């Protein structure tokens, strides 16, 4: 009897995936939570995912502001080389890495001197993380 129940559940799951578009293991955008921290050291902007759900950075928008002004070129995460940034971001922000940003993981990028406004000592850097038009977090730190 238990075997029939398991087979019945498996068939229902397969039909649900085929007909309803059920995505096993995927979280809807509304359930995504992230509790990152931000640090700025010179031109390096680093975010550490402290708690919450894993986030696919390919669906993440990162908006950086310096003293309230948005950077002319925003980081197109994930990337390896992009206008306005030094090549080789770290963690899931790097296109060669696993794009899933998990709690405890650090991701960083360096803003190039060709990007404006530049990050000067004492500047207030604000990073906003958005997914699907929904704000996940807004963080600020002093360079």
């Amino acid at each position: 009897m238990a075997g029939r129940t398991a087979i019945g559940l498996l068939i229902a799951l397969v039909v649900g995936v085929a007909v309803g578009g059920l995505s096993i293991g995927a979280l809807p955008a509304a359930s995504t939570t992230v509790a990152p921290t931000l640090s700025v050291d010179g031109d390096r902007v680093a975010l550490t995912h402290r708690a919450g759900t894993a986030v696919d950075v390919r669906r993440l928008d990162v908006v950086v502001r310096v003293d309230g002004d948005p950077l002319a070129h925003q980081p197109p995460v994930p990337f390896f080389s992009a206008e306005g940034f030094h090549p080789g971001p770290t963690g899931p922000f790097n296109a060669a890495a696993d794009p899933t940003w998990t709690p405890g993981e650090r991701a960083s990028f360096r803003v190039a001197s060709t990007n404006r406004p530049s990050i000067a000592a004492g500047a207030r850097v604000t990073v906003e993380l958005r997914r699907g038009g929904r704000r996940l977090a807004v963080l600020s730190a002093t360079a």
Side-chain angles (χ1 to χ4, degrees):
M1 184 70 169
R4 284 186 185 172
T5 303
I7 291 171
L9 287 173
L10 182 59
I11 290 171
L13 180 61
V14 169
V15 170
V17 169
V19 175
L22 176 66
S23 178
I24 300 170
L27 296 171
S31 68
T32 302
T33 58
V34 61
T37 57
L38 171 69
S39 64
V40 181
D41 184 14
D43 61 2
R44 182 174 301 278
V45 176
L47 294 116
T48 303
H49 186 343
R50 294 286 181 204
T53 56
V55 177
D56 184 340
V57 299
R58 295 172 297 192
R59 299 185 63 205
L60 193 65
D61 292 317
V62 179
V63 179
V64 181
R65 291 182 170 76
V66 179
D67 290 330
D69 296 322
L71 289 177
H73 305 285
Q74 296 294 333
V77 297
F79 70 98
F80 181 77
S81 184
E83 186 173 4
F85 298 90
H86 291 279
T90 67
F93 287 179
N94 189 306
D98 179 351
T100 305
W101 192 23
T102 57
E105 192 171 19
R106 182 176 188 252
S108 71
F109 54 85
R110 291 181 54 217
V111 179
S113 61
T114 56
N115 209 339
R116 295 285 181 253
S118 60
I119 300 176
R124 190 75 177 158
V125 177
T126 303
V127 176
E128 180 179 356
L129 303 176
R130 297 182 74 83
R131 179 174 176 213
R134 180 176 166 256
R135 181 182 294 166
L136 297 177
V138 177
L139 308 147
S140 290
T142 302

